[in-house]
Amino acid sequence: MPQPIGLFDSTMATLQRTLDLRTAQHQALSSNVANADTPHYRPFEVAVEEEMRKQRPPAARQVDLVRTQEKHLPVGGAAAGVSAALRPVPAPAFSLRADGNTVDLDRTMGALADNSLKYKTSAQLLSGKLKSLRNVIQGGR
Amino acid sequence: MDLYDALQTSSSGLSAQRLRMNLISANLANVNTTRTPEGGPYRRKEVVFEAKPNPGAFRDALKAHQGKAPADVQASKIIEDTRPPLQKFAPQHPDADAEGYVRMPNVNVMEEMVNMISATRSYEANVTAIRAAKDMALKALEIGK
């Protein structure tokens, strides 16, 4: 008998994790922009790609539904919480600022646009996954 | 740590830059003011910003104090420029001293203009960040539609 596959596959878990990390990244970048004129402020960011590479959603915190019948579709629990490590942004090679602030506003705004675009892409992909799932549930009608 | 916190952080940036803009306006408006309630000519004012940890979980607040977590920006104080007032020779002026010199505010219009452009750009950057957060949140709302 074929093993039933999960209702929400691993792609969805990955997309969820991406959205979480990109949200954290947006928060970090917003903080850098808001503090672009704060003396001695050191910017930081989330290394989204690196986090994704080493990421496996913390298994211990997953809650699975109990299956009383082995033909029931397994429903994976949601990965709980984001724990995104923040890393400092290297200071620009040349800076004429005397106030100890190392925010590179152009670079930050670029990263902000990049992050926002990738967030929207992931959201759209996730939306597409759910749409096709619904399509199957409704029998293609 | 979510998009609402990001919005709040960017809003704190808007508010800080607006305060800076208000002070620049005050400096420009008083570029020729020779009388103030404290006595003497007007003194150029400037705001000092500081990073303020986002209110939230204790762990986040601790990290923010160490400079390792997102932080809002806030105006910690408004300082007066300590450069000496400019001396202008105008014997007919009612505030002129015995030698005919008037003490004028230590405001440099050029400097204020540059500051104004800088404040405008920073404000715009925060607006862009808010718009991005809003777009992301709206896109997330479309999931499952």
Side-chain angles (χ1 to χ4, degrees):
Chain A
M1 194 191 75
Q3 189 68 22
I5 51 165
L7 200 52
F8 305 113
D9 60 9
S10 64
T11 314
M12 279 201 201
T14 310
L15 286 171
Q16 278 178 26
R17 175 78 179 159
T18 316
L19 291 182
D20 281 345
L21 285 172
R22 298 246 169 246
T23 307
Q25 165 77 325
H26 185 81
Q27 167 77 15
L29 291 174
S30 297
S31 168
N32 295 346
V33 172
N35 285 291
D37 294 314
T38 306
H40 305 295
Y41 180 83
R42 304 273 163 170
F44 47 84
E45 64 186 0
V46 178
V48 179
E49 279 83 5
E50 276 174 36
E51 291 281 326
M52 285 306 292
R53 205 169 294 139
K54 69 183 178 195
Q55 165 261 330
R56 285 286 160 265
R61 300 179 68 176
Q62 278 201 4
V63 181
D64 276 324
L65 294 185
V66 174
R67 287 192 292 163
T68 51
Q69 230 286 343
E70 66 176 29
K71 281 184 184 172
H72 284 172
L73 287 172
V75 180
V82 273
S83 56
L86 295 163
R87 67 169 182 201
V89 179
F94 298 103
S95 175
L96 296 176
R97 302 186 64 151
D99 61 358
N101 184 311
T102 56
V103 176
D104 185 340
L105 196 58
D106 301 301
R107 199 189 150 281
T108 312
M109 295 314 286
L112 199 80
D114 173 275
N115 186 58
S116 169
L117 210 57
K118 284 176 179 163
Y119 180 97
K120 287 191 219 167
T121 311
S122 303
Q124 188 146 354
L125 286 174
L126 190 55
S127 192
K129 289 290 268 183
L130 288 167
K131 231 171 246 164
S132 50
L133 198 58
R134 177 180 305 165
N135 190 28
V136 169
I137 292 171
Q138 290 175 342
R141 271 173 291 158
Chain B
M1 204 193 267
D2 58 19
L3 284 174
Y4 297 112
D5 288 342
L7 278 179
Q8 201 195 330
T9 302
S10 295
S11 308
S12 77
L14 289 182
S15 155
Q17 296 300 338
R18 184 177 292 279
L19 174 64
R20 186 170 163 214
M21 195 61 130
N22 284 346
L23 288 177
I24 293 168
S25 301
N27 289 342
L28 284 174
N30 286 296
V31 71
N32 286 318
T33 305
T34 52
R35 296 173 191 178
T36 53
E38 308 88 56
Y42 176 85
R43 287 184 171 277
R44 178 174 171 273
K45 290 181 176 51
E46 199 175 7
V47 62
V48 179
F49 291 150
E50 75 178 2
K52 173 176 158 265
N54 243 326
F58 174 77
R59 198 169 56 106
D60 293 343
L62 185 68
K63 275 188 173 172
H65 272 290
Q66 298 164 334
K68 288 179 193 157
D72 291 0
V73 59
Q74 72 171 4
S76 58
K77 59 185 168 191
I78 292 172
I79 54 170
E80 289 198 336
D81 201 322
T82 52
R83 280 178 288 187
L86 301 176
Q87 302 280 347
K88 184 180 166 194
F89 185 68
Q92 79 288 359
H93 197 287
D95 292 327
D97 61 10
E99 289 161 6
Y101 282 96
V102 187
R103 294 164 73 225
M104 300 298 280
N106 53 359
V107 175
N108 182 346
V109 177
M110 235 47 102
E111 193 182 324
E112 299 304 320
M113 286 301 181
V114 171
N115 261 330
M116 189 161 80
I117 293 172
S118 164
T120 313
R121 292 288 172 263
S122 297
Y123 192 89
E124 283 169 2
N126 280 298
V127 170
T128 309
I130 288 185
R131 194 170 294 144
K134 211 177 66 184
D135 285 356
M136 284 159 72
L138 286 176
K139 196 73 195 174
L141 279 180
E142 284 177 22
I143 295 175
K145 255 194 188 166

